[in-house]
Amino acid sequence: MNDISSNAIPAQPRERPSTAARVGIGGPVGSGKTALLEQLIPRFLARGTDLAVITNDIATKEDAERVRRSGLIAPERVLAVETGACPHSAIREDPTLNMQSADDLDRRFPGLELILIESGGDNLASSFSLDLVDYWLFVIDVAGGDDIPRKRGLGVLSCDLLVINKTDLAPYVRVDLPRMVREANEVRKGKPVLLTNCAIGDGVDAVVEQIAREVLFDR
Amino acid sequence: MTDTSTSLALLQFGDSFFPSGATSFSWGLETLRADGHVTGAAEVETLIAGQLRQRWASFDRPALLAAFRAGADLDRVAEIDRELDAATLAREAREGGRRIGGALLKVHAGIGTPGAADYRDRVLRGDASGQMAAVQGFLGAATGLDETTLCALSAYGLAVSAVSAALRVGLLGHVDSQAILVRLRAVVDEAVASPLPAVTGVHAYTPMAEIAMMRHETGSGRMFAN
Ligand SMILES: Nc1nc2c(ncn2[C@@H]2O[C@H](COP(=O)(O)OP(=O)(O)OP(=O)(O)O)[C@@H](O)[C@H]2O)c(=O)[nH]1
Ligand SMILES: [Mg+2]
């Protein structure tokens, strides 16, 4: 019988995974998911990250077209997945078409490092299948009300990173931002919460750093 | 396979909880509704009955059964697959069939169904199309279904995905959709008993749905992929 320990494979230096890291961006309708994408793309590209994007539009190809037209990224690196009016299903119960699109991007762009997947605007109970993504963000915004974190929606509680967007609007919608952040931290029991203003890009660098640290590792 | 385990396999693979990407496809319904051709439950039922009689019976079913009979002979499955792909006119119908077939292959490869990973490699290499009916047929054999059960699974899959798309676009209610599924059983019975063409002689005549899928390519409605 072979002595397994003597044949033990020596520790290999970590190799780059053969497929890109997949990061989901979920959150309610209009919270700023596409705006965040538009702020993330140039930052990742500036960092030298090889990037592609998948959008899950609800009724059109509007978000995909918006990202393609933005000139921020080569249009062929942006795919749209139709969800048959079931945005939650397309990222959780049946993420097969999103996975197919991500596999497709991996094949078409060897060396791809990161795929950002924007979910269709959904409700607070949406979440990503862990078969689909390695890491996921949930984007809420202050204009949705400062009671959102308190409502303990599945998305708010279980995402890897909660982004509270549109901080610039707090004074106009009578939102107590410090309280909103405090409650978000309480319900998330220490998991990260970051604040952004995606209209001008405030706070987005921290989101990039967090994603890079968690899923791009040493890249 | 024992009866219970066949029933369980059927329940699992026929359940809309089984991930296949099917929810993203309306097979023309999104456009037929937008164009005012389908406005309520009765028309949805007529449309599905037409799909079963005029397409599924003489187009999907021959390929399904041929692939089932080919079983582990994946070269033969690929031939059937190619016929099916070449005979599917509307681009979004062809792509829809490939995407669902591809999704089924990936999930079955993941759960260890024999042949699924091998056939998926062929599709990824471009040596096979991965059309839904061909894939469903050989996977049916690999998972121990019999021909009758497989036909029921395939026809029911078509009907349930159509009524559920209709429900989601607001054409009918949840009870209507179940009543339609009950009534369609007779149509499926009839379709199963109809003459079975050879794979090289598959034929379909569902012009409204075909034209709708062609129009869908450039239409503004995009909830569904076809
Ligand atoms: N003031 C302000 N407006 C923002 C901010 N982020 C996004 N917006 C605006 O909010 C609106 C919705 O933003 P989107 O990025 O389209 O939101 P979304 O979450 O992608 O929306 P869906 O995909 O439709 O669910 C747009 O008009 C944006 O310009 C922000 O930080 N501050
Ligand atoms: Mg968006």
Side-chain angles (χ1 to χ4, degrees):
Chain A
M1 244 206 160
N2 283 340
D3 177 2
I4 295 173
S5 59
S6 68
N7 289 342
I9 300 163
Q12 296 283 322
R14 182 195 216 117
E15 279 183 36
R16 211 179 77 66
S18 59
T19 57
R22 297 174 182 185
V23 171
I25 303 178
V29 180
S31 64
K33 298 177 293 296
T34 309
L36 177 62
L37 258 184
E38 288 165 330
Q39 293 287 353
L40 290 175
I41 292 167
R43 285 172 172 80
F44 277 114
L45 293 179
R47 240 184 130 261
T49 307
D50 198 330
L51 182 72
V53 172
I54 298 173
T55 64
N56 284 201
D57 292 297
I58 297 296
T60 62
K61 288 194 168 180
E62 188 120 357
D63 281 353
E65 289 304 330
R66 182 169 141 197
V67 175
R68 286 190 189 119
R69 272 198 305 266
S70 70
L72 297 170
I73 184 169
E76 64 273 16
R77 286 174 177 257
V78 182
L79 298 185
V81 168
E82 296 86 353
T83 60
C86 287
H88 52 276
S89 176
I91 58 165
R92 189 171 58 199
E93 283 81 0
D94 187 354
T96 50
L97 293 189
N98 271 311
M99 292 173 72
Q100 217 168 61
S101 297
D103 291 350
D104 215 34
L105 287 167
D106 269 328
R107 269 193 307 279
R108 272 158 55 187
F109 302 103
L112 192 65
E113 292 171 292
L114 177 64
I115 302 175
L116 297 171
I117 304 172
E118 179 187 345
S119 138
D122 206 345
N123 59 45
L124 295 176
S126 68
S127 61
F128 279 84
S129 162
L130 297 181
D131 282 335
L132 175 62
V133 295
D134 302 299
Y135 187 84
W136 60 286
L137 286 60
F138 199 72
V139 182
I140 58 173
D141 70 289
V142 299
D146 54 14
D147 54 344
I148 295 290
R150 245 192 344 266
K151 289 182 178 167
R152 298 172 164 273
L154 184 65
V156 171
L157 295 188
S158 55
C159 64
D160 296 301
L161 169 61
L162 180 70
V163 173
I164 301 178
N165 186 36
K166 305 192 191 179
T167 49
D168 56 308
L169 296 185
Y172 308 105
V173 290
R174 284 173 289 151
V175 157
D176 180 348
L177 187 57
R179 173 177 174 190
M180 189 175 179
V181 175
R182 192 175 61 243
E183 290 179 348
N185 280 315
E186 272 165 28
V187 301
R188 285 180 53 74
K189 301 191 168 62
K191 284 197 284 181
V193 177
L194 290 172
L195 305 185
T196 57
N197 169 355
C198 288
I200 58 168
D202 274 0
V204 180
D205 287 344
V207 177
V208 170
E209 269 164 42
Q210 182 72 18
I211 295 172
R213 192 164 51 238
E214 294 294 334
V215 302
L216 297 179
F217 305 112
D218 45 342
R219 293 176 216 168
Chain B
M1 213 181 225
T2 66
D3 279 353
T4 313
S5 80
T6 309
S7 304
L8 287 172
L10 180 64
L11 286 169
Q12 181 177 3
F13 303 136
D15 189 345
S16 58
F17 182 67
F18 191 82
S20 66
T23 16
S24 292
F25 299 89
S26 88
W27 306 100
L29 183 69
E30 180 171 29
T31 304
L32 289 171
R33 173 176 173 270
D35 289 349
H37 294 302
V38 175
T39 57
E43 282 151 331
V44 170
E45 183 167 350
T46 308
L47 179 76
I48 304 172
Q51 291 281 339
L52 287 167
R53 289 195 184 100
Q54 315 255 91
R55 185 170 72 87
W56 182 82
S58 56
F59 193 89
D60 299 64
R61 184 176 63 118
L64 181 79
L65 289 174
F68 177 88
R69 289 165 193 171
D73 179 358
L74 298 185
D75 290 334
R76 174 69 189 132
V77 174
E79 265 170 44
I80 297 160
D81 194 1
R82 241 185 324 271
E83 287 289 339
L84 202 59
D85 199 70
T88 306
L89 181 61
R91 181 163 71 88
E92 289 193 348
R94 204 163 51 246
E95 286 173 356
R98 286 186 195 166
R99 284 168 75 185
I100 293 184
L104 284 174
L105 284 172
K106 181 156 181 164
V107 175
H108 276 278
I111 61 179
T113 303
D118 283 352
Y119 201 75
R120 181 160 185 264
D121 286 342
R122 289 181 186 233
V123 174
L124 295 180
R125 282 200 308 268
D127 296 339
S129 312
Q131 281 292 338
M132 169 170 62
V135 167
Q136 235 179 2
F138 97 83
L139 290 175
T143 49
L145 301 180
D146 56 54
E147 291 193 0
T148 309
T149 310
L150 178 65
C151 282
L153 178 77
S154 165
Y156 179 75
L158 182 157
V160 84
S161 93
V163 286
S164 93
L167 184 141
R168 277 176 275 137
V169 298
L171 283 166
L172 40 75
H174 68 295
V175 177
D176 277 342
S177 32
Q178 296 304 319
I180 289 175
L181 289 174
V182 169
R183 285 193 296 269
L184 286 172
R185 287 179 196 165
V187 179
V188 176
D189 272 343
E190 196 189 296
V192 166
S194 67
L196 187 70
V199 174
T200 45
V202 294
H203 54 92
Y205 187 68
T206 52
M208 293 276 282
E210 300 266 342
I211 293 167
M213 281 188 274
M214 293 174 193
R215 287 173 46 68
H216 190 265
E217 289 178 28
T218 51
S220 58
R222 226 40 237 192
M223 276 194 295
F224 295 89
N226 68 18

